[in-house]
Amino acid sequence: PVDVSKGEKPYEVEVGQDGKWTFTPKEPLPDGKHEISVVAKDEAGNEGDPVKSNIEIDTSAPTYKPEISFIDDNDGNGKLSKAEIGNDGKTEAKITVPSNAEVGDSIVYTVNGGEEKTEKITQDIKDNGFKVEVPVTDGQKATVTAKVVDPAGNAGDKSEASIDVDT
């Protein structure tokens, strides 16, 4: 058997023939850092040295949302004209995060409903945001979505911004 403990109380866990074992606490561990200790026992009850490991439980999603703006909407009317787009058929969107954003979280974003892309939040992105290229088509909306995902995989609420294209 193996003794697994968190704090004062040890739990005895049976080890399978293949040497594998699992442990699920009766009560879920709260968010935060926890030290887990494991001690192996032989059939005679002799204990090995404890193996300690620190784990962090994080079940909380980020509480902030990215903001998305279209850089080329110079007159702020919510439409992109030919003059604002230029000849390349693209515009830029800027994705920013609020000051309480955490470096190490990621921004997961899409452009015009395409595949999700990921940008890790660095101090520079926290301070200045980052730009994404958005292809545009006359008579259609250009759309960018973004959400923040922490290192544990918890996703915050999604932001979405669209702009009409009228060239």
Side-chain angles (χ1 to χ4, degrees):
V2 171
D3 281 345
V4 178
S5 62
K6 194 258 181 241
E8 304 287 319
K9 187 173 182 179
Y11 299 90
E12 188 168 290
V13 179
E14 291 302 315
V15 178
Q17 294 289 341
D18 59 2
K20 295 180 181 178
W21 57 273
T22 61
F23 172 72
T24 303
K26 291 182 173 128
E27 296 292 323
L29 296 175
D31 279 9
K33 295 181 180 181
H34 302 275
E35 182 179 273
I36 305 295
S37 178
V38 177
V39 177
K41 290 184 188 177
D42 65 16
E43 292 178 10
N46 299 310
E47 295 184 358
D49 292 332
V51 176
K52 295 181 180 183
S53 181
N54 292 312
I55 62 170
E56 185 168 354
I57 305 296
D58 178 3
T59 61
S60 301
T63 57
Y64 59 92
K65 290 171 47 171
E67 293 184 18
I68 305 163
S69 60
F70 288 91
I71 297 168
D72 294 328
D73 185 17
N74 299 324
D75 57 12
N77 68 353
K79 291 184 180 182
L80 292 175
S81 67
K82 177 117 178 103
E84 290 172 316
I85 295 170
N87 294 326
D88 66 355
K90 298 174 185 165
T91 189
E92 284 186 317
K94 184 174 184 181
I95 301 174
T96 58
V97 292
S99 61
N100 65 335
E102 293 188 28
V103 170
D105 285 354
S106 295
I107 298 172
V108 177
Y109 66 95
T110 64
V111 173
N112 292 333
E115 70 179 67
E116 287 188 338
K117 297 180 181 178
T118 301
E119 190 76 31
K120 190 166 288 272
I121 298 175
T122 61
Q123 188 62 49
D124 184 53
I125 288 175
K126 184 174 174 176
D127 294 341
N128 303 305
F130 70 101
K131 296 175 185 175
V132 296
E133 199 170 77
V134 182
V136 295
T137 304
D138 186 30
Q140 295 185 2
K141 284 188 181 293
T143 304
V144 176
T145 66
K147 63 184 173 186
V148 176
V149 179
D150 69 16
N154 302 307
D157 292 336
K158 181 169 57 172
S159 297
E160 182 175 321
S162 296
I163 194 162
D164 292 321
V165 180
D166 185 11
T167 59

